[in-house]
């Protein structure tokens, strides 16, 4: 039996995609092999790879002057890869930090660039925690930064930008946990990157969407597997790509198109998060610490008024068919990740469970 899986990542996949994988697995397209067993250079696999890219381009309306790369190394690999690809030694890079992933991104870039923390949400919050997006007119950007890096959605703290920053320098965004959640104006960005294991597919694939005029800034030291120019020129196949994950990502993109694209899924996502936050705000037993204008659509952290009941909450939610509601170890409490593949009924079931639990214990 399927459960409602609220994991932050690797996360729930659409059931229709899992069924398709199951039926494809032993004998993919009449080849007598699974897709995992064929060469990435075979015509059949190249067709799958290209179709996945064209689905993604359609979904996100990616302009023609952007390359889409299918890489490995995770979003974490991109923390350093962005620096190696987009800056020269001695360059300054602006970082806006609104949570744990932004902190890690700046740290991984630090060996390569002069890190300027243009804004830090923990420094401007009352309790020193990341719970809001600092207003852009308070940011201390440097005059000649190579680029500005930020994390549109912080998966752990559940802090999300409700706006795309204005920037004179290329905007570089770690969209791991918000990509594909709703329509996005890609043309505002220099680089968008995302680990696959939330809204894209299984772990193992890292998407990079890069504006073409930024392809030739890589330092000589950049390993070829992380080099945007090398990977763009080889259709992400300078070495063996993560073929199975790429194939599954293509199925997920197709599923999203079947749902009506990002406009349609965005409406569902908006309803899902609105009802969950509304319930949490109206029920004294639960609370969410994030400023209302900075709340994540995809990751909803909440705490119980009596933390000693956390164990019971988790035990009973599991018995009710809901998994992975435990908050990140650095934050505690609970977190419901409600990515694209979490059906609205899953959020309804969670709210019913929470209200029943509050009634019994509140
Ligand atoms: N950035 C964000 C916003 C994330 O949520 C995560 C993973 N949870 C990462 C980076 C790290 O991704 P990876 O494990 O793919 O390196």
């Amino acid at each position: 039996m399927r459960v409602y899986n609220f994991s932050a990542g690797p996360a729930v996949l659409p059931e229709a995609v899992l069924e398709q994988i199951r039926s494809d697995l032993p004998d993919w397209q009449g080849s007598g092999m699974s897709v995992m067993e064929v060469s990435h250079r075979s015509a059949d696999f190249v067709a799958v790879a290209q179709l996945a890219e064209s689905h993604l381009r359609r979904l996100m309306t990616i302009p023609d002057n952007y390359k889409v790369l299918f890489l490995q190394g995770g979003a974490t690999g991109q923390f350093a890869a962005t620096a190696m690809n987009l800056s020269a030694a001695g360059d300054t890079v602006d970082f806006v930090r609104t949570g744990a992933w932004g902190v890690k991104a700046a740290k991984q870039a630090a060996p390569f660039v002069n890190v300027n923390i243009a804004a830090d949400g923990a420094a401007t919050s009352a309790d020193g925690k990341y719970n809001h997006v600092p207003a852009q007119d308070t940011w201390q950007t440097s005059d000649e930064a190579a680029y500005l890096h930020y994390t549109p959605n912080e998966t752990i703290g559940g802090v999300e930008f409700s706006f795309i920053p204005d920037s004179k320098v290329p905007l570089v965004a770690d969209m791991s946990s918000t990509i594909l959640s709703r329509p996005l104006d890609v043309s505002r960005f220099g680089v968008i990157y995302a680990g696959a294991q939330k809204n894209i597919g299984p772990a193992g694939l890292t998407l990079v969407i890069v504006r073409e005029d930024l392809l030739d800034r890589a330092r000589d030291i950049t390993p070829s597997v992380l080099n945007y120019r090398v990977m763009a020129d080889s259709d992400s196949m300078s070495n063996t790509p993560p073929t199975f994950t790429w194939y599954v990502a293509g199925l997920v993109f197709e599923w999203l198109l079947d749902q009506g694209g990002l406009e349609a899924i965005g409406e569902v996502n908006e309803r899902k998060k609105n009802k969950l936050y509304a319930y949490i705000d109206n029920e004294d037993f639960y609370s969410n610490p994030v400023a209302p204008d900075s709340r994540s659509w995809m990751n909803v952290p909440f705490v119980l008024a009596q933390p000693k009941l956390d164990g019971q909450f988790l035990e009973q939610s599991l018995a009710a068919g809901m998994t992975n509601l435990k908050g990140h170890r650095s934050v505690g409490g609970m977190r419901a990740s409600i990515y694209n593949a979490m059906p609205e009924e899953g959020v309804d079931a969670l709210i019913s469970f929470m209200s029943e639990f509050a009634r019994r214990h509140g």
Side-chain angles (χ1 to χ4, degrees), residues 73-76 79 101 151 153 155 174 176-177 195 197-198:
T76 304
F79 293 164
W101 292 109
T151 316
N153 183 59
T155 321
D174 171 5
S176 294
S177 49
Q197 62 272 22
K198 296 131 184 352

Side-chain angles (χ1 to χ4, degrees), residues 217-262:
R217 299 189 184 189
R219 300 185 196 189
D220 294 342
I221 57 161
T222 313
S224 62
V225 293
L226 295 176
N227 185 306
Y228 295 164
R229 165 54 74 191
V230 170
M231 284 310 214
D233 286 350
S234 61
D235 295 327
S236 307
M237 294 196 191
S238 91
N239 70 324
T240 316
T243 52
F244 183 73
T245 315
W246 196 333
Y247 145 84
V248 179
L251 296 179
V252 172
F253 300 155
E254 210 172 314
W255 174 81
L256 277 170
L257 288 167
D258 288 347
Q259 306 304 300
L262 299 192

